[in-house]
Amino acid sequence: MGGQAKGKKKSKTKRKDNRSSGDPGLPGLSPQERMKLRMHEKAKKKTAEKYSAHHLLEKTEECMDSFDFEMAGRFCQRALDLEPTNLQALDMLGHICSELGDTQKAKETFLRAVELSPDEGHSKYMYLGQIHTGQEAVDYYTRGIQILLSALDKQAQTTAQTGAAAPPDEDPELPTAKDVCVAYCSVAEIYLTDLCADEGAADKCREFIERALHYHHDNPEAQQLMASYLFSTERNQEGRDYLMKSVGAWLPALKQSAAPHSTEEEHTPAEIPPYESRITTAKLLIEVEEYETAVDVLEGLLEEDDEVVQVWYLSGWVCYLQMERARELQVREERDATDQEKEECGALKEAARSYLTRAKKLYSKLHCDDQPMLDHVEQLIGELGGEMEGEEGDLAVDEDYEPCSDEEEEGEGEEEEAAMEH
């Protein structure tokens, strides 16, 4: 009996091993996972028969240009299935994962690119610097800057040897002095934030900002960063000068582009700082009591994206501060408000209530996690007389995401096929 039982057990194990060798990766998976894996392998084989990695990356780029990052990710992954060591595909997939908020996969993808090609291509190091913090981020940025500077040196040598007249920045694939400037700004910002308590952090911060300005002397982000550094060292007037110079480099162009009769030729949107950088601009302008300019910046931000809680909060805060400044002026001058001042004060109060009410509702809708900001919003609303009644549209909370069904999984391949035909 014992021998028969042992033989039966051995036979069962053997059947399991045979099944495993014929279908790798399937044991231990749920039926849904096995089905998904088989479908992926089937789609992979079908893709390889019809499309090259080059073709798939072209479709990836098209999707990225139209901000369809989910579809871009599918095409890019198909390209990597065909060519797992394709550096362009790895770089694109890392960027796509970053856009989709999948930081872990982005990190793994960029590290794979570093492993395959550590001495070429600076962008992967820039992304890794963004993903990490502190000294680790500085190390990644520094390596990326070394590659950038090396590439610029090679470009200069090639230009000198061939006598080429075209400037290198006409080719978007080639690194530019502006890229070096932005990279140095990233390092400086770490010494202004994460590593600010380290010995010599202030000196290093200034050193990297000066390097940034050396490569792009009128870069508005570098100028703004210098303003932040100067404010942190209590050199407020110098900081204000740098800040206003920075804002003056792009705000007029942005306002002009928003004018009803403006044309593309009348402004240079590429020189306008990123959204997050302009939020910092608004904060700094409020800090130095340049309220009117802060309002112009915030209005542009709301026009561009009206679902950022912090922008609504800052818009309400700056209206409140303008109202308080007018009252303080009347107290200092020991006089009553004129009819015009009363009207302006009333308008500012209503605007502040409206902005702050919107901020509070959006905070709830988006499930934000910034308790100090929420506390200040509620404090200001209380001082202004409560939330604005009948504020346009109670913000509807988005429906919870639901995973797709097996039928939808099967349809993904068909969706990609349809997209490839266009």
Side-chain angles (χ1 to χ4, degrees):
M1 290 292 291
Q4 291 175 352
K6 187 175 181 180
K8 185 176 181 181
K9 183 177 181 182
K10 185 174 181 181
S11 174
K12 182 178 181 181
T13 303
K14 186 174 180 181
R15 286 199 302 272
K16 183 176 180 182
D17 289 343
N18 288 338
R19 185 171 65 249
S20 176
S21 63
D23 203 356
L26 296 188
L29 299 180
S30 68
Q32 293 84 356
E33 289 171 330
R34 288 199 296 272
M35 179 182 293
K36 188 173 182 179
L37 184 59
R38 290 193 186 101
M39 287 166 53
H40 177 76
E41 291 298 323
K42 183 179 178 182
K44 186 168 125 180
K45 183 178 179 182
K46 189 174 181 181
T47 299
E49 292 170 353
K50 294 187 66 174
Y51 307 108
S52 68
H54 176 74
H55 190 192
L56 288 162
L57 291 179
E58 284 183 343
K59 298 302 296 184
T60 300
E61 193 166 2
E62 288 177 14
C63 292
M64 291 174 71
D65 288 342
S66 61
F67 302 101
D68 187 356
F69 291 106
E70 289 190 8
M71 184 61 74
R74 294 184 199 172
F75 284 131
C76 197
Q77 186 58 60
R78 291 281 189 263
L80 280 170
D81 289 340
L82 299 179
E83 298 181 8
T85 60
N86 187 306
L87 292 173
Q88 181 189 3
L90 285 168
D91 191 71
M92 294 173 80
L93 183 61
H95 176 69
I96 291 165
C97 292
S98 295
E99 290 290 340
L100 293 173
D102 191 345
T103 304
Q104 184 57 37
K105 188 172 181 180
K107 178 180 176 180
E108 292 170 359
T109 303
F110 288 127
L111 287 175
R112 174 62 175 156
V114 168
E115 180 185 342
L116 291 170
S117 180
D119 300 323
E120 291 183 8
H122 70 280
S123 63
K124 56 181 174 282
Y125 290 104
M126 298 298 109
Y127 283 117
L128 286 167
Q130 293 173 21
I131 292 170
H132 292 81
T133 59
Q135 188 59 50
E136 199 171 6
V138 170
D139 292 341
Y140 280 121
Y141 281 127
T142 301
R143 184 69 186 114
I145 290 170
Q146 290 171 350
I147 294 173
L148 270 172
L149 294 177
S150 176
L152 287 178
D153 286 342
K154 288 179 183 177
Q155 286 173 213
Q157 292 171 12
T158 302
T159 302
Q161 291 170 1
T162 62
D169 59 358
E170 287 190 0
D171 184 347
E173 297 300 319
L174 295 176
T176 66
K178 182 180 177 182
D179 294 327
V180 180
C181 172
V182 172
Y184 275 130
C185 283
S186 298
V187 178
E189 195 163 2
I190 293 172
Y191 283 108
L192 196 62
T193 54
D194 295 357
L195 301 179
C196 64
D198 286 13
E199 184 177 353
D203 293 337
K204 289 180 181 178
C205 178
R206 173 145 198 157
E207 176 189 346
F208 284 113
I209 297 172
E210 288 174 344
R211 290 188 192 181
L213 290 169
H214 171 75
Y215 280 93
H216 196 184
H217 67 92
D218 58 352
N219 183 278
E221 290 184 78
Q223 291 171 338
Q224 177 170 297
L225 197 56
M226 180 63 87
S228 294
Y229 162 77
L230 291 167
F231 290 143
S232 72
T233 57
E234 299 184 355
R235 297 159 67 178
N236 294 337
Q237 187 54 52
E238 287 183 74
R240 180 191 292 267
D241 292 342
Y242 268 101
L243 177 61
M244 299 313 294
K245 186 178 180 181
S246 169
V247 175
W250 59 266
L251 184 57
L254 183 63
K255 292 172 70 176
Q256 187 179 22
S257 70
H261 305 295
S262 68
T263 62
E264 289 293 325
E265 290 75 15
E266 292 175 342
H267 56 92
T268 53
E271 293 302 314
I272 296 171
Y275 196 94
E276 286 296 327
S277 177
R278 282 178 278 147
I279 293 179
T280 302
T281 304
K283 292 178 183 177
L284 293 173
L285 288 167
I286 291 173
E287 185 178 329
V288 298
E289 299 184 8
E290 292 285 348
Y291 299 145
E292 289 74 16
T293 307
V295 168
D296 288 339
V297 173
L298 290 165
E299 285 179 350
L301 291 169
L302 287 176
E303 184 70 24
E304 189 173 326
D305 185 350
D306 64 357
E307 290 219 338
V308 180
V309 177
Q310 194 173 31
V311 177
W312 288 101
Y313 158 64
L314 291 172
S315 297
W317 176 225
V318 75
C319 288
Y320 178 91
L321 291 172
Q322 285 177 294
M323 182 180 66
E324 288 299 299
R325 182 169 66 180
R327 289 174 175 171
E328 289 171 3
L329 178 62
Q330 294 156 20
V331 171
R332 283 200 306 270
E333 295 178 352
E334 298 180 347
R335 63 176 179 81
D336 294 332
T338 65
D339 289 341
Q340 182 178 351
E341 287 172 335
K342 289 178 181 178
E343 184 177 345
E344 290 174 353
C345 186
L348 285 169
K349 179 179 180 180
E350 292 306 293
R353 287 179 65 203
S354 177
Y355 286 132
L356 293 167
T357 299
R358 180 81 174 188
K360 185 176 178 180
K361 290 182 178 180
L362 195 58
Y363 185 101
S364 176
K365 173 193 172 185
L366 300 179
H367 308 291
C368 294
D369 184 20
D370 188 343
Q371 192 61 42
M373 181 177 69
L374 179 61
D375 291 343
H376 195 209
V377 166
E378 292 178 337
Q379 175 193 335
L380 293 172
I381 289 176
E383 292 181 21
L384 293 167
E387 292 184 27
M388 181 75 76
E389 294 295 332
E391 182 65 14
E392 184 179 344
D394 283 337
L395 300 175
V397 178
D398 292 339
E399 295 293 329
D400 292 335
Y401 171 76
E402 293 183 1
C404 56
S405 64
D406 292 340
E407 289 79 6
E408 289 171 322
E409 287 279 2
E410 191 171 355
E412 283 185 1
E414 296 174 3
E415 185 181 353
E416 291 169 28
E417 286 291 320
M420 289 296 294
E421 298 302 325
H422 293 83

